[in-house]
Amino acid sequence: MNSPLDDAPNPIIRSVQYRDLDSIEHLIVQIAQEQPDSNLTVSIQQLQQARRWFGLLKFLSWFPNLFQHHFCVYIAEPKTLLNQGTERLQGFIQISPFNRDRSTWCVERVVINNQDSQPQLMTDSKGVGSQLLRHCFETIWEARTWVLEVNINQKSTLALYRQNGFQPLAQLTYWSLTPKLLQELALGDSDFPNLLPVSNADAHLLYQLDCVSMPPLLRQVFDRHLLDFKTPFLAGLVSKFRQWYDHTDVAQIYVFEPQRKAAVGYFKLILCDNGSSPHQAKLTVHPAYTWLYPKLFTKMAQIVQNFPSQSLELVSTDYQHEREEYLEKLGAQRNQHTLLMSRSVWHKLKEAKPEGLHLSEMLQGLQAVPRTPIPSRMSWFNISFNSSEKNFNSHNGKKSRHKLQILGESSEFNDEP
């Protein structure tokens, strides 16, 4: 039985070029208009920034640096380009490194252009999406694990990812706290003495907190290390420039436990200065210190009051029951549910297994072969010692036989009259 990929066309997959940006933007805008819940607003903003700095980003992608894979996009187009415009673009995929070691990569988005119907995020009737994914799996040789996030209501998208080896890891829920709710939270008490600002010197504390706050499977997939929690000097300068350009501000605070000498809570706020977009929050709490949620939310609400009135958005996972219960108790709104999925490179072994190869048949022909042990230095010493001893004994034997022969001759000579 042939798979859908066997009958699918073989498009040309290549790196993005400047002439492809118009087609990509037209495709994203069309999908965003037809599917308001597709969350492609961030994609349009990133595409506009990539258009301004495309020459520099293309130059930085030629050699190893911090921004080598900042805009990593692959394009699928037919081999015969009879038409122009968006019809020449069959689809594209955007990927990025997930950690500093680049052992885990993230699939940001895959968009397919169905010319016979309306474009969708992932209606892979011709196998273009699968071929884009396979191209990334084979091109990024340093990736051991791939992760992605997909809306649980997009059944065709889930089917495509499952077909290409992705397995679910955790379910994520996006929450939104209204400005009125933030004003009520800001009236609470958040005074406790161990709130400290974050710097590179605290990277080991944040690394330990990140490891203990997630299940072992996610810790293995994310594969974060100490360098992932440090900000290089050049990256810090670029971040400051982006904050000035995007009219945003960043606040990072962690809670230090002096008895255990460890960080037990951490939050990062991305605040909008001009009120054009909601504020974003990233929150990490030690599983044994969930009583910190009210104080940390109160502290974040107090910081938000110094900026234009906007809602605050954050994420919770299905293994963070206390956080979800607290948000429900506050009256926060659920925006969407997504599924975090991962794929290991060892899945390629199953894909590349030749047909008709049975392990039982292979094992029947295997037989044990007698093997002599490899001699060590002591064994070589024994061998040399034994050989020298044999040579010495044989030499002494020859001398003794020679003496006996001489004695025998002399005795015979003495016996003569």
Side-chain angles (χ1 to χ4, degrees), residues 7-192:
D7 301 332
N10 295 323
I12 299 176
I13 300 178
R14 55 172 176 81
S15 299
V16 65
Q17 300 178 5
Y18 186 80
R19 58 184 173 87
D20 303 319
L21 299 182
D22 291 335
S23 301
I24 294 176
E25 185 175 3
H26 177 78
L27 199 60
I28 292 178
V29 170
Q30 187 175 358
I31 296 175
Q33 293 176 353
E34 297 173 356
Q35 300 180 6
D37 57 343
S38 58
N39 296 328
L40 290 177
T41 305
V42 179
S43 302
I44 298 176
Q45 296 177 356
Q46 293 179 355
L47 188 62
Q48 293 175 354
Q49 294 178 0
R51 186 189 298 274
R52 299 187 185 98
W53 306 97
F54 187 82
L56 179 60
L57 293 175
K58 198 68 175 180
F59 172 74
L60 293 176
S61 64
W62 292 344
F63 57 92
N65 57 85
L66 292 175
F67 309 100
Q68 181 182 6
H69 306 286
H70 183 74
F71 187 69
C72 188
V73 177
Y74 292 97
I75 301 295
E77 63 181 7
K79 293 183 179 180
T80 56
L81 300 179
L82 301 178
N83 300 323
Q84 301 295 330
T86 58
E87 294 183 357
R88 62 175 295 166
L89 180 67
Q90 290 186 337
F92 71 91
I93 182 173
Q94 183 177 358
I95 59 176
S96 63
F98 189 82
N99 52 7
R100 187 74 62 86
D101 294 339
R102 295 196 293 270
S103 61
T104 302
W105 281 67
C106 178
V107 179
E108 300 288 346
R109 58 191 55 87
V110 180
V111 179
I112 307 302
N113 184 14
N114 294 323
Q115 301 176 8
D116 53 348
S117 60
Q118 297 178 351
Q120 301 290 332
L121 280 175
M122 196 76 64
T123 303
D124 194 24
S125 58
K126 299 181 179 180
V128 177
S130 296
Q131 296 184 29
L132 285 170
L133 289 169
R134 300 291 178 87
H135 178 79
C136 294
F137 299 157
E138 297 174 358
T139 303
I140 311 300
W141 58 269
E142 57 188 348
R144 296 198 302 264
T145 310
W146 290 83
V147 296
L148 56 86
E149 190 176 346
V150 58
N151 196 307
I152 61 175
N153 296 322
Q154 298 175 357
K155 304 301 181 182
S156 59
T157 306
L158 288 172
L160 176 67
Y161 288 145
R162 291 296 297 267
Q163 180 183 357
N164 287 275
F166 285 90
Q167 301 295 329
L169 277 179
Q171 184 173 337
L172 283 68
T173 304
Y174 284 79
W175 301 81
S176 177
L177 281 69
T178 61
K180 182 179 179 180
L181 181 58
L182 292 173
Q183 292 179 359
E184 297 176 357
L185 283 174
L187 301 177
D189 183 15
S190 65
D191 294 334
F192 50 104

Side-chain angles (χ1 to χ4, degrees), residues 100-331:
R100 187 74 62 86
D101 294 339
R102 295 196 293 270
S103 61
T104 302
W105 281 67
C106 178
V107 179
E108 300 288 346
R109 58 191 55 87
V110 180
V111 179
I112 307 302
N113 184 14
N114 294 323
Q115 301 176 8
D116 53 348
S117 60
Q118 297 178 351
Q120 301 290 332
L121 280 175
M122 196 76 64
T123 303
D124 194 24
S125 58
K126 299 181 179 180
V128 177
S130 296
Q131 296 184 29
L132 285 170
L133 289 169
R134 300 291 178 87
H135 178 79
C136 294
F137 299 157
E138 297 174 358
T139 303
I140 311 300
W141 58 269
E142 57 188 348
R144 296 198 302 264
T145 310
W146 290 83
V147 296
L148 56 86
E149 190 176 346
V150 58
N151 196 307
I152 61 175
N153 296 322
Q154 298 175 357
K155 304 301 181 182
S156 59
T157 306
L158 288 172
L160 176 67
Y161 288 145
R162 291 296 297 267
Q163 180 183 357
N164 287 275
F166 285 90
Q167 301 295 329
L169 277 179
Q171 184 173 337
L172 283 68
T173 304
Y174 284 79
W175 301 81
S176 177
L177 281 69
T178 61
K180 182 179 179 180
L181 181 58
L182 292 173
Q183 292 179 359
E184 297 176 357
L185 283 174
L187 301 177
D189 183 15
S190 65
D191 294 334
F192 50 104
N194 298 324
L195 282 176
L196 301 175
V198 175
S199 63
N200 284 340
D202 308 313
H204 66 286
L205 298 176
L206 299 181
Y207 168 66
Q208 294 174 359
L209 177 61
D210 185 77
C211 290
V212 76
S213 62
M214 66 177 62
L217 182 58
L218 267 74
R219 191 187 316 147
Q220 180 182 2
V221 169
F222 289 172
D223 194 24
R224 290 173 179 159
H225 300 280
L226 187 62
L227 291 178
D228 294 311
F229 298 89
K230 290 185 177 181
T231 304
F233 179 75
L234 182 59
L237 291 179
V238 175
S239 178
K240 290 293 183 181
F241 175 77
R242 291 186 61 182
Q243 293 175 25
W244 170 81
Y245 185 82
D246 298 334
H247 302 282
T248 59
D249 196 0
V250 177
Q252 299 186 71
I253 295 177
Y254 76 98
V255 183
F256 181 72
E257 176 60 46
Q259 295 180 353
R260 302 183 58 178
K261 295 183 180 180
V264 296
Y266 162 82
F267 68 82
K268 177 180 179 181
L269 291 175
I270 301 178
L271 305 163
C272 183
D273 294 336
N274 55 7
S276 59
S277 60
H279 308 299
Q280 305 290 330
K282 178 183 177 182
L283 182 62
T284 307
V285 177
H286 194 286
Y289 290 82
T290 55
W291 55 268
L292 288 174
Y293 279 123
K295 292 184 176 296
L296 291 178
F297 273 94
T298 300
K299 187 64 178 180
M300 288 191 294
Q302 292 175 355
I303 296 176
V304 167
Q305 298 306 312
N306 300 324
F307 293 85
S309 178
Q310 278 288 345
S311 60
L312 179 65
E313 297 180 349
L314 72 158
V315 186
S316 67
T317 56
D318 53 359
Y319 57 85
Q320 296 170 338
H321 306 288
E322 294 84 358
R323 180 182 303 186
E324 294 185 344
E325 292 177 0
Y326 179 75
L327 289 171
E328 289 179 355
K329 183 179 179 181
L330 283 180

